[in-house]
Amino acid sequence: MSGSLPKVIPPLSAPLPTDAYQLLSIDEKVGQPEDALFEQQIQDVEDWWKTPRFEGIKRPYSAHDVVSKRGSLQQTYPSSLMARKLFNLLRERSAAGQPVHTSV
Amino acid sequence: MGAIDPVQMTQQAENQEVLYLSGWACSSLLTSTNEVSADFGDYPYNTVPNQVQRLFKAQQLHDRKNWDARRKLSADERKTSKYIDYLRPIIADGDTG
């Protein structure tokens, strides 16, 4: 695999913290592992929000609010990748003072 | 055997390690044509996959609720509180009779 393409920052897909957690037995999940998973995700969300992509964004909710509602199974969403593609296109055109047309 | 709908799934999750979905029961109760098709094979081929999707979405909902409820407990309470895993692997039996 060639590593010549630049990395996507912030990343869209990566090994998810919940992958390994999900495969533990119930006894192995209870207590410290579920707490560690929760804290890890909060840190990941806060790091993600600090990236330049979200500069200037104000959120009336905390990473704790978000992660507590996620459940124990994370997913990667193709729509997130497409949203990033659109964001990049709009930002690029905005910088050039150009429009993006939705029809001919 | 197994569960036909999300309500049964929630009751079984605590003690049943896998979630078995009977194709025969789906062909009897859940066809979009409303035909009772058990053993006759004349129902849409997405009958079982459709129900799997419903069950999985329900499993995810209950997993999210469980996770949220556990985060409201203290760390000590979590250690002793029974953990119900709603995300039991689904065995979808497509053989409908």
Side-chain angles (χ1 to χ4, degrees):
Chain A
M1 276 230 253
S2 99
S4 56
L5 293 175
K7 286 197 192 314
V8 176
I9 310 277
L12 269 298
S13 64
L16 299 167
T18 51
D19 288 354
Y21 177 83
Q22 198 56 237
L23 297 178
L24 299 172
S25 71
I26 290 182
D27 289 336
E28 288 167 337
K29 283 179 170 135
V30 174
Q32 197 273 338
E34 62 182 309
D35 292 349
L37 178 67
F38 186 72
E39 297 305 325
Q40 174 66 51
Q41 287 189 70
I42 288 187
Q43 188 57 53
D44 290 347
V45 168
E46 288 176 347
D47 290 346
W48 175 50
W49 285 351
K50 287 194 187 104
T51 58
R53 163 68 182 79
F54 299 111
E55 195 183 319
I57 298 294
K58 292 185 174 30
R59 303 174 192 266
Y61 48 85
S62 65
H64 186 288
D65 292 336
V66 172
V67 176
S68 66
K69 305 298 177 281
R70 270 182 176 174
S72 67
L73 180 69
Q74 287 175 276
Q75 295 183 34
T76 313
Y77 302 92
S79 58
S80 297
L81 184 56
M82 289 301 112
R84 179 73 61 81
K85 195 168 170 179
L86 179 62
F87 181 84
N88 289 348
L89 177 64
L90 292 174
R91 187 178 47 182
E92 183 189 311
R93 288 299 166 74
S94 168
Q98 293 294 315
V100 173
H101 292 286
T102 57
S103 66
V104 180
Chain B
M1 188 161 77
I4 190 65
D5 67 24
V7 175
Q8 291 178 351
M9 176 279 290
T10 62
Q11 303 308 297
Q12 291 183 355
E14 188 172 341
N15 295 310
Q16 196 65 33
E17 289 177 311
V18 294
L19 181 64
Y20 174 78
L21 176 63
S22 161
W24 188 90
C26 289
S27 72
S28 181
L29 301 174
L30 298 171
T31 63
S32 57
T33 54
N34 296 329
E35 281 292 330
V36 178
S37 295
D39 298 329
F40 282 86
D42 58 353
Y43 48 86
Y45 71 87
N46 68 342
T47 299
V48 173
N50 196 52
Q51 195 60 10
V52 169
Q53 187 179 47
R54 283 209 193 94
L55 287 172
F56 184 54
K57 284 179 182 286
Q59 286 182 322
Q60 288 177 284
L61 169 75
H62 288 281
D63 171 67
R64 288 194 295 272
K65 287 179 64 174
N66 185 52
W67 181 255
D68 190 34
R70 288 184 71 84
R71 297 324 302 176
K72 293 185 163 97
L73 303 174
S74 71
D76 285 337
E77 285 170 328
R78 268 194 292 278
K79 286 200 185 90
T80 53
S81 164
K82 191 174 199 342
Y83 189 109
I84 300 181
D85 184 357
Y86 287 98
L87 290 168
R88 301 295 193 174
I90 298 173
I91 298 176
D93 186 349
D95 179 5
T96 57

